[in-house]
Amino acid sequence: MIMLDQTVVAVALSPMARGLGLTTYALHGVALVYVLALAAFAPVGGMVARRFGLLPTFRFGILLFAAASGCCGLTPSGPAAEPFLLLMRALQGAGAGLMIPVATTLITGLYEERERGRALATYAGLAQVFFVLGPVVGAVLTQYLGWRAVFPVNVPVAAAVLCLAAGARVEEEPEGRPLTVVAPLLMLLSVALLVLGLYWCGFRGFTDLRSFAVMASGALALAVAVRLVLRSPEPFLDLRLLGIRPYAVVVTLTAMVQAAQLIVVVHGTLFLRQAMHRPLLTTGLSLVPLVAALTVGTLLSGHLLDRYRSIRIPVLLGLAAATLGAVLWTVALPSRTYAWQVPGMVLAGVGMGLPVPALSAELMRWVPEGERVDASVLRQTLRQLGGAVGLALAGAMVLTANDDAADAAGIVDATATPVAFVAASGFLCAALLCAALMLPAAQRTERR
């Protein structure tokens, strides 16, 4: 549910915008606000889990996510449509933020060391597949049930998860840490200002002083929040873990890959739908090669990791393939010929499927056992923040490059999409360079 909802709206954006009369800002915001709220509330989820326990936090997150999903499907028409839909998407992201660090922590705690790497790789791989499967699912639902169906479909899934979670038992003693308010609020405010200021550059230009003032305010709030966190004896987000160099490298790479994935899936879908004028169902099916290729890359990642006992092989091979694939896909876009896009799509899919499972399997090796919950929370926070920054940057670049005004329904001419793919290629190229220079040469024994 969490990963699917990042991309399931991509196909539904056009009919949603026309049905509700959304502006361009709200159209992009439907995708961006969810990812931003997910990034901001992941550390809150970790803090709440340490105070009240893993399963209670997980169940509450599911309830919040399901309730917000149902309300998204009931968005009214008229002037209230935009604020209502954006608020509900933010609450969806908040619910997801409560769930996602708990899920990773549970998997880390339930499996023995010899099985933990494979379990985390499987978990990350499944998340990857559902992430890119979103537009396909969204296309089917929108075609046959209308755009509203992409949201309440989460409700029966959430009910099933709650039934399973009701019988789950986890041996844990909640730490009972006090809940803090100031630092999380400052962190939330800073992230929102930075990302939204970056996105606003697309409307006002990258030289607009007001946009830079918003980002500067966000940077100042972030500096204050980081200082409060570092001075706290029991921080809600343990930034000191970034002092473990291999852990910091793995988290950074994961964030960069997440940024590139979100850009190509969302903007690739918009290009197929708006610039190539493909029918809804055809748009979703057009992304099947990407889904299949990413699934193959995900499965291949564990095999390469087991065989060579080093994350450098799947990560470097994957990032090199993903970068080349993204460049080929970018070059093929102006032709508006689907067949020319498929090779780049397949190569990018295999490449992006390789790194994340291997990185997830390696992540906890470098973290002391008592700090794994904090490490999981920090990793998920920075990963989703990478996606939010990537999506905001790509959206701003597309809006800046767009020569035609948006229509009354907020639909932007998608011929500017190649610049978003340039941003994705840049993230992947930077990740490849970072991995080549900074990844450890081989796996090491687990730190205690």
Side-chain angles (χ1 to χ4, degrees), residues 73-430:
L74 298 175
T75 302
S77 301
E82 287 188 8
F84 183 87
L85 181 57
L86 293 177
L87 175 60
M88 291 302 109
R89 284 289 281 173
L91 290 177
Q92 264 191 309
L98 294 177
M99 286 189 282
I100 201 166
V102 173
T104 309
T105 303
L106 286 173
I107 292 172
T108 303
L110 290 173
Y111 285 87
E112 299 294 335
E113 170 63 20
R114 65 181 182 275
E115 300 174 317
R116 185 178 297 126
R118 183 170 296 179
L120 286 170
T122 302
Y123 169 69
L126 285 172
Q128 291 265 90
V129 171
F130 278 98
F131 179 83
V132 297
L133 196 61
V136 181
V137 175
V140 174
L141 291 171
T142 305
Q143 175 71 31
Y144 294 108
L145 298 175
W147 67 262
R148 293 181 184 273
V150 301
F151 298 116
V153 71
N154 290 311
V155 176
V157 180
V161 175
L162 279 174
C163 290
L164 291 171
R169 297 291 181 268
V170 177
E171 294 183 6
E172 63 160 338
E173 288 291 334
E175 300 176 22
R177 291 190 192 181
L179 298 177
T180 59
V181 177
V182 177
L185 282 178
L186 272 176
M187 192 74 74
L188 174 61
L189 177 64
S190 64
V191 169
L193 289 174
L194 284 170
V195 173
L196 293 178
L198 178 61
Y199 177 61
W200 284 341
C201 288
F203 290 95
R204 301 168 180 169
F206 281 88
T207 58
D208 182 71
L209 293 179
R210 290 172 296 178
S211 298
F212 278 98
V214 172
M215 288 190 285
S217 301
L220 179 61
L222 181 62
V224 175
V226 168
R227 181 173 177 80
L228 289 175
V229 167
L230 292 176
R231 295 180 65 179
S232 173
E234 294 182 340
F236 83 105
L237 186 64
D238 195 353
L239 298 176
R240 288 167 287 203
L241 288 168
L242 295 176
I244 304 174
R245 185 173 179 271
Y247 171 83
V249 172
V250 169
V251 170
T252 301
L253 291 175
T254 304
M256 289 180 177
V257 173
Q258 180 76 1
Q261 282 184 324
L262 196 55
I263 291 171
V264 298
V265 173
V266 172
H267 285 275
T269 303
L270 289 173
F271 185 84
L272 289 167
R273 176 67 178 146
Q274 295 178 8
M276 296 180 64
H277 306 292
R278 295 204 142 202
L280 281 170
L281 193 56
T282 305
T283 298
L285 295 177
S286 297
L287 292 171
V288 168
L290 178 65
V291 177
L294 191 135
T295 304
V296 170
T298 297
L299 296 174
L300 186 59
S301 179
H303 173 74
L304 292 175
L305 188 61
D306 288 341
R307 179 168 183 176
Y308 294 102
R309 307 302 301 166
S310 171
I311 61 171
R312 288 184 67 88
I313 302 298
V315 172
L316 291 177
L317 181 63
L319 290 174
T323 303
L324 179 59
V327 171
L328 291 176
W329 196 352
T330 305
V331 172
L333 288 176
S335 70
R336 303 198 187 191
T337 302
Y338 175 70
W340 290 12
Q341 297 178 41
V342 172
M345 189 184 299
V346 170
L347 189 57
V350 173
M352 288 188 291
L354 282 169
V356 175
L359 292 170
S360 298
E362 181 72 3
L363 188 75
M364 294 303 176
R365 269 178 204 280
W366 301 99
V367 179
E369 189 171 356
E371 299 179 17
R372 283 177 178 158
V373 174
D374 294 316
S376 170
V377 171
L378 182 58
R379 178 239 182 185
Q380 291 293 353
T381 300
L382 295 181
R383 179 185 181 183
Q384 302 306 327
L385 183 58
V389 170
L391 193 59
L393 176 62
M397 291 173 66
V398 166
L399 290 169
T400 301
N402 184 63
D403 293 328
D404 300 318
D407 64 19
I411 306 300
V412 174
D413 183 3
T415 54
T417 295
V419 300
F421 275 66
V422 170
S425 302
F427 277 112
L428 291 170
C429 187

